[in-house]
């Protein structure tokens, strides 16, 4: 039986998933990497460490019999390296990083936001790659010398891995769509956007399709390279306009397939699979801090580990007047507010540890509902499918389902990013066991509207703290 190895290089770990043609799967070669916070608002990874984890996952997969590889990446994270030696010249700047927020505000004040959005489909925000790439060009001394020598590699993290592993200087269309430098209509680098952000077009890697054969890596053929959230959208089985999914990973990211290029305001518009003739598009909205807030609770000592979430029960925190706004990296869709910060509110001497933990889960749920309403304001989308680590918490799922007022499908497989990449590699021939899916129906909670209003007030109060 042939095996496809899907390598998901994510924000906190690299995961390998071996997927057989009958749909069976098992994990292989997975490992975590360090999270670095050198300054307030900065988030970095060691590119060499990331690459080593990717290589180990590939080698373990090939040793287990995989002949085909599919690769997903963490999107807007960027790396610069020496193309001759393969060595990074600085740490990777992670998508959560806010160091370029002031520069983005300068661009907004210059009146270019509508031009950027019309060409790229993206709002102006430090989340996306372009301002990070410009920061490297301006702030990393080695960048200028390598640029003059024609040896500077500059791109999203996937382009670094692919260049070192295959010798090809490329990125895929779904990842390029997250940079603010790709024209969403032509799916090619846009000279005007490059000029706005100050990133020379000739430095950027070639854009290829996400399911285009790339080359041989450690004895297996790499046939798919795709950004994580688009891979998850495919893994959920979303194929027609209105199909929706939310992945609760480090952040929470919701996508809805659209009929042609999206027109949904205050959301991210992105390219998907299908190629020039049959391109799929999606509207996308994110909550910057979801699973990252749980890891933060662990670092604070409020949680021993995420498994404690499965034991939560009883009344909600918001019913006691306690709210948390998960704005540890600001607010994304539909607010796009980097001045907002994380906020607990409603605490008194009777507030308990479990109330704080529940409030974090509830805040993630409330923020995700705001995103869903931005993506699907009329509520006409299809069933909502969810995955990711937080979906292992019944407390979170029940609260989110009731807060959203939507029917929710919970697949048995919660590694749908890697599975979606494998499905793309297999040309959608791998079966999905729908009998193992769970359907959740919201209950009639008469207090939910009041609780949502209370959260909205809390979210508004979080704004403007960071200047």
């Amino acid at each position: 039986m042939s095996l496809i190895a899907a390598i998901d290089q994510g924000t906190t770990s690299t995961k390998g998933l071996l997927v057989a043609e009958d749909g069976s799967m098992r994990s292989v070669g997975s490992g975590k990497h360090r999270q670095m916070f050198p300054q307030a608002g900065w988030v970095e990874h060691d590119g060499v460490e990331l690459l080593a984890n990717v290589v180990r996952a590939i080698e373990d997969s090939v040793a287990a019999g995989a002949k085909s590889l599919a690769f997903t990446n963490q999107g807007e994270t960027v790396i610069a390296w020496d193309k001759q030696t393969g060595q990074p010249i600085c740490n990777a700047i992670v998508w959560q990083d806010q160091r370029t927020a002031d520069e983005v505000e300068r661009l907004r004040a210059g009146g270019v936001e509508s031009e950027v959005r019309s060409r790229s489909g993206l709002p102006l925000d430090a989340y996306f790659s372009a301002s990070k790439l410009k920061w490297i060009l301006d702030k990393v001394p080695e960048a200028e010398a390598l640029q003059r020598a024609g040896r500077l590699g500059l791109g999203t993290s996937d382009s670094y891995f692919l260049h070192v592993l295959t010798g090809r200087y490329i990125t895929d269309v779904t990842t390029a769509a997250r940079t603010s430098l790709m024209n969403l209509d032509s799916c090619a680098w846009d000279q005007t956007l490059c000029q706005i952000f100050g990133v020379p077009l000739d430095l950027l890697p070639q854009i290829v399709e996400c399911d285009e054969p790339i080359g041989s890596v450690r004895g297996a053929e790499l046939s798919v390279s795709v950004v994580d959230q688009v891979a998850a959208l495919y893994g959920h089985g979303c194929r027609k306009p209105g199909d929706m999914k939310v992945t609760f990973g480090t952040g929470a990211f919701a996508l809805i397939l659209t009929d042609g290029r999206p027109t949904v305001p205050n959301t991210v518009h992105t390219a998907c699979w299908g190629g020039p003739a049959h391109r799929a598009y999606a509207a996308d909205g994110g909550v910057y801090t979801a699973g990252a807030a749980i890891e933060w609770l662990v670092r604070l000592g409020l949680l021993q580990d995420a498994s404690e979430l499965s034991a939560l029960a009883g009344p909600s925190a918001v019913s006691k007047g306690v709210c948390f706004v998960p704005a540890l990296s600001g607010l994304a869709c539909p607010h796009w507010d980097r001045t907002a910060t994380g906020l607990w509110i409603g605490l008194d001497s009777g507030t308990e540890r479990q109330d704080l933990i529940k409030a974090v889960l509830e805040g993630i749920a409330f923020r995700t509902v705001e995103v869903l309403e931005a993506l699907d304001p009329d509520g006409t989308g299809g069933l909502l499918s969810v995955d990711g680590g937080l979906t292992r918490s019944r407390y979170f799922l029940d609260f989110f389902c009731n807060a959203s007022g939507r029917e929710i499908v919970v697949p048995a497989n919660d590694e749908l990013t890697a599975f979606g990449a494998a499905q793309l590699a297999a040309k959608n021939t791998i079966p999905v066991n729908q009998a193992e899916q769970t359907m959740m129906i919201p209950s009639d909670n008469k207090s939910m509207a009041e609780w949502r209003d209370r959260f909205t007030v809390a979210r508004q109060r979080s704004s403007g703290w960071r200047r």
Side-chain angles (χ1 to χ4, degrees), residues 38 100 153 203 217 232 239 250 282-283 339 467:
T100 62
L203 287 180
V217 180
R239 301 290 185 272
T250 302
T339 72
R467 299 190 185 279

Side-chain angles (χ1 to χ4, degrees), residues 6 27 48 51 78 96 113 157 200 222 267 308 369 386 412 428 441:
S27 297
V48 172
L51 178 62
V78 302
Q96 300 157 302
E113 183 162 24
S157 60
L222 180 58
T267 65
E308 288 187 49
V369 172
V386 300
N428 200 31
I441 299 174

Side-chain angles (χ1 to χ4, degrees), residues 97-420:
D97 192 282
Q98 301 179 64
R99 74 186 65 187
T100 62
D102 287 345
E103 174 61 19
V104 168
E105 288 307 311
R106 186 190 67 78
L107 290 171
R108 180 175 286 112
V112 301
E113 183 162 24
S114 61
E115 182 81 1
V116 170
R117 184 180 282 279
S118 66
R119 289 176 178 271
S120 71
L122 309 180
L124 268 180
D125 196 87
Y127 169 39
F128 304 107
S129 307
S131 62
K132 298 178 176 69
L133 297 173
K134 174 59 172 171
W135 187 93
I136 290 172
L137 291 173
D138 289 344
K139 303 295 185 180
V140 179
E142 295 89 340
E144 183 179 359
L146 288 174
Q147 182 179 354
R148 288 198 306 268
R151 290 166 47 187
L152 179 63
L154 185 72
T156 44
S157 60
D158 62 308
S159 60
Y160 168 62
F161 305 133
L162 294 174
H163 184 251
V164 173
L165 293 172
T166 71
R168 297 186 64 188
Y169 188 48
I170 57 175
T171 187
D172 82 279
V173 66
T174 67
T175 308
R178 317 295 298 190
T179 62
S180 297
L181 300 175
M182 189 190 85
N183 187 294
L184 195 58
D185 292 319
S186 66
C187 291
W189 298 125
D190 187 292
Q191 183 64 56
T192 297
L193 291 172
C194 288
Q195 289 172 348
I196 287 172
F197 286 97
V199 179
L201 188 152
D202 59 5
L203 287 180
L204 298 172
Q206 176 190 0
I207 298 175
V208 301
E209 292 299 329
C210 65
D211 57 354
E212 180 177 322
I214 294 172
S216 178
V217 180
R218 300 299 197 273
E221 291 301 314
L222 180 58
S223 57
V224 165
S225 183
V226 60
V227 78
D228 51 5
Q229 298 309 319
V230 171
L233 186 67
Y234 200 85
H236 277 278
C238 298
R239 301 290 185 272
K240 64 183 186 300
D243 286 352
M244 303 176 67
K245 74 88 188 172
V246 182
T247 297
F248 292 99
T250 302
F253 295 97
L255 277 78
I256 182 170
L257 279 174
T258 58
D259 186 8
R261 176 171 169 161
T263 58
V264 188
N266 296 321
T267 65
V268 174
H269 301 162
T270 197
C272 300
W273 55 83
H278 305 286
R279 175 81 60 209
Y281 287 93
D284 172 344
V287 179
Y288 289 140
T289 304
I294 306 307
E295 294 179 357
W296 174 67
L297 290 178
V298 172
R299 293 200 303 273
L300 292 180
L302 288 173
L303 275 177
Q304 290 300 309
D305 59 60
S307 65
E308 288 187 49
L309 301 180
S310 61
L312 292 175
S316 64
V318 70
S319 69
K320 300 180 179 182
V322 179
C323 284
F324 178 75
V325 182
L328 301 181
S329 296
L331 293 170
C333 174
H335 311 295
W336 303 108
D337 181 4
R338 289 288 186 167
T339 72
T341 58
L343 172 70
W344 266 303
I345 194 168
L347 311 188
D348 59 31
S349 57
T351 302
E352 299 179 345
R353 181 177 71 95
Q354 281 209 346
D355 296 325
L356 298 178
I357 295 168
K358 287 179 179 178
V360 170
L361 293 178
E362 294 162 18
I364 295 165
F366 282 134
R367 274 289 295 121
T368 306
V369 172
E370 290 184 331
V371 172
L372 291 175
E373 291 179 347
L375 294 173
D376 183 32
D378 300 325
T380 55
L383 290 178
L384 174 65
S385 185
V386 300
D387 74 305
L390 282 176
T391 63
R392 297 167 192 157
S393 166
R394 185 70 191 195
Y395 181 90
F396 174 77
L397 274 179
D398 285 341
F399 191 91
F400 173 63
C401 184
N402 292 331
S404 69
R406 296 171 184 262
E407 294 184 354
I408 295 174
V409 175
V410 187
N413 171 22
D414 63 1
E415 294 294 351
L416 288 171
T417 300
F419 183 73

Side-chain angles (χ1 to χ4, degrees), residues 48-108:
V48 172
E49 183 182 12
L50 298 183
L51 178 62
N53 287 348
V54 169
V55 170
R56 184 175 67 251
I58 291 172
E59 290 178 343
D60 288 355
S61 299
V62 171
K67 301 297 184 185
S68 179
L69 297 174
F71 179 67
T72 80
N73 70 83
Q74 53 178 287
E76 301 77 9
T77 296
V78 302
I79 301 180
W81 69 100
D82 183 335
K83 289 196 287 186
Q84 182 170 300
T85 66
Q87 289 298 306
I89 61 172
C90 59
N91 282 332
I93 304 176
V94 182
W95 57 269
Q96 300 157 302
D97 192 282
Q98 301 179 64
R99 74 186 65 187
T100 62
D102 287 345
E103 174 61 19
V104 168
E105 288 307 311
R106 186 190 67 78
L107 290 171
R108 180 175 286 112

